[in-house]
Amino acid sequence: ATDFATLGGSELKDGNFKIRVTDLQGRVVLQELFRALPGNEYVVDVSSLTSGIYFCSLMRENQTRSIKFIKK
C-alpha cells in the first residue's frame, strides 16, 4: 500500500464493521467504523502511516479477519 488500501471481497457482506490497523509492536495506529453493502469495496486512507509492516483486522460481531500489509 502507498496512500490507500482497498478492502473487498466475500468478507464485506452487508453489515457494520470495525477496521483496526496495528503496527508490529501491537499498537493501534488506525481505527475506523463503517457500514458495508454487498459487493462494495472500502478504501482505507493509510497515508498518515510511516513506511513499515502493519496488520489490518476486519471485525464484525464475533468474527475477525486479519491481513498483513506493507506501507511503502
Side-chain angles (χ1 to χ4, degrees), residues 17-61:
F17 288 84
K18 180 191 289 187
I19 292 176
R20 180 181 295 154
V21 178
T22 56
D23 62 15
L24 285 177
Q25 288 75 36
R27 293 180 296 229
V28 176
V29 294
L30 182 67
Q31 188 164 281
E32 296 182 15
L33 297 173
F34 74 99
R35 173 147 177 90
L37 298 173
N40 281 2
E41 292 182 332
Y42 184 74
V43 177
V44 180
D45 182 355
V46 294
S47 62
S48 64
L49 303 179
T50 59
S51 297
I53 299 172
Y54 295 90
F55 295 94
C56 180
S57 298
L58 184 63
M59 296 167 277
R60 176 181 180 179
E61 297 169 3

